[in-house]
Amino acid sequence: MDVPQTVTPPAVPAVPDDRPVLVIKPTSGWSSLALREVWEYRELAYYMLTREIKGRYRQMALGPVWIVLGPLLSIAMNSIIFGSLAKMPSDGIPYPLFNFAGLLPWNFFMAALNASANSLLNSRGLISKVYFPRLIIPIVGVLGNMVDFAISFAIFLGMMLAYGYVPGWGILLVPVMLLVASLTGMAVGLWVSSWIVHYRDVSTLVGYVTRFWMYATPIVYASSVIPDRWLPLYKLNPMNGVVEGFRWALLGQGRAPDIYFLVSTLCVLPVLISGMYYFRRSERNIIDIA
């Protein structure tokens, strides 16, 4: 008769008491933004940022050359169509320089908007495998565009010197304009990021809306062509203040930041904060949908 043997289960490796333990609990409703947790994952954000920058121009024949070539092609096209053919006013500034000063903050704003809007959809594979604060994704996307802006800005400074413009103390206001542009882009992008995951055609709709938004911003024309009765409403566009302020700070032409710029910027903040809360509320179900 066989005697049953007692099988001893394998020993579980002892866990040192000083090892940090992360307890992930399901959330419901409107949860907190957990900004402290975002800061604690700053090393992961740095790794994702370097990966974003290195991989942006991978498998492209010209690679980083597009950072230089892209703005130059846009300026050449706009100068021919809007400067030479349409004779758009440029407040006495050479049209290529006038247009470049508008495209720089606008392109930065668009990059921030697109990075935030597509953050959940593009990172759904990573989100399904490991836990980390999802707000890191749009933040990394915005910061990654700083490299492109820095290179384009260096080209712009060279163009300024070629046309006889020397940057003054106003160049110190450039970071302020970039901050407002990035916050505006993130505010819109965070709201639509969840909608894009649910309905892909939202991305197409956003493309048309931003195209209209661009023509409502003085990029290819000077704001002096706007009738006076529409100016109060026109100036409430936060990107209007950014583009005008950018030109004023560097070229000494255009409208200096005024009360309308302050009001439009303050209006962006509640949209941004509510967008962050909506992003947090939507991220938990995104894998089931995407």
Side-chain angles (χ1 to χ4, degrees), residues 156-168:
F156 176 76
L157 292 179
M159 184 179 290
M160 280 182 60
L161 296 176
Y163 277 104
Y165 287 83
V166 179

Side-chain angles (χ1 to χ4, degrees), residues 168-218:
W169 64 268
I171 197 172
L172 299 177
L173 293 178
V174 170
V176 177
M177 301 302 163
L178 291 185
L179 179 62
V180 176
S182 60
L183 294 181
T184 306
M186 281 191 67
V188 179
L190 289 175
W191 269 103
V192 303
S193 59
S194 176
W195 303 344
I196 289 178
V197 175
H198 286 80
Y199 308 102
R200 301 292 195 273
D201 42 2
V202 172
S203 180
T204 305
L205 179 62
V206 170
Y208 283 105
V209 172
T210 53
R211 190 177 304 173
F212 173 79
W213 195 344
M214 188 191 76
Y215 288 117
T217 305

Side-chain angles (χ1 to χ4, degrees), residues 110-151:
M110 281 300 301
L113 193 156
N114 288 328
S116 304
N118 297 304
S119 57
L120 289 178
L121 182 63
N122 293 339
S123 303
R124 59 189 185 279
L126 180 62
I127 292 174
S128 64
K129 292 181 175 63
V130 62
Y131 172 78
F132 62 93
R134 314 309 193 206
L135 273 175
I136 286 179
I137 302 172
I139 293 174
V140 167
V142 173
L143 294 177
N145 293 307
M146 288 297 297
V147 177
D148 291 8
F149 176 84
I151 296 175

Side-chain angles (χ1 to χ4, degrees), residues 15-160:
V15 178
D17 294 336
D18 58 347
R19 179 179 296 182
V21 177
L22 175 64
V23 179
I24 303 173
K25 297 179 179 179
T27 58
S28 60
W30 298 93
S31 56
S32 67
L33 295 179
L35 295 180
R36 181 177 180 181
E37 192 180 28
V38 173
W39 172 250
E40 291 173 348
Y41 278 78
R42 58 188 180 278
E43 292 185 6
L44 174 64
Y46 175 75
Y47 169 77
M48 294 173 67
L49 179 61
T50 54
R51 190 189 65 168
E52 164 80 15
I53 295 173
K54 292 178 180 177
R56 179 169 300 175
Y57 297 98
R58 189 176 297 166
Q59 295 181 339
M60 297 177 70
L62 298 180
V65 176
W66 282 109
I67 300 176
V68 179
L69 196 57
L72 295 180
L73 288 175
S74 298
I75 294 168
M77 182 175 62
N78 290 337
S79 298
I80 293 173
I81 297 176
F82 298 104
S84 300
L85 298 179
K87 305 293 184 184
M88 288 290 182
S90 59
D91 289 339
I93 304 171
Y95 193 84
L97 193 61
F98 172 86
N99 186 236
F100 201 179
L103 281 176
L104 268 176
W106 177 261
N107 288 341
F108 188 76
F109 156 75
M110 281 300 301
L113 193 156
N114 288 328
S116 304
N118 297 304
S119 57
L120 289 178
L121 182 63
N122 293 339
S123 303
R124 59 189 185 279
L126 180 62
I127 292 174
S128 64
K129 292 181 175 63
V130 62
Y131 172 78
F132 62 93
R134 314 309 193 206
L135 273 175
I136 286 179
I137 302 172
I139 293 174
V140 167
V142 173
L143 294 177
N145 293 307
M146 288 297 297
V147 177
D148 291 8
F149 176 84
I151 296 175
S152 298
F153 188 65
I155 299 172
F156 176 76
L157 292 179
M159 184 179 290
M160 280 182 60

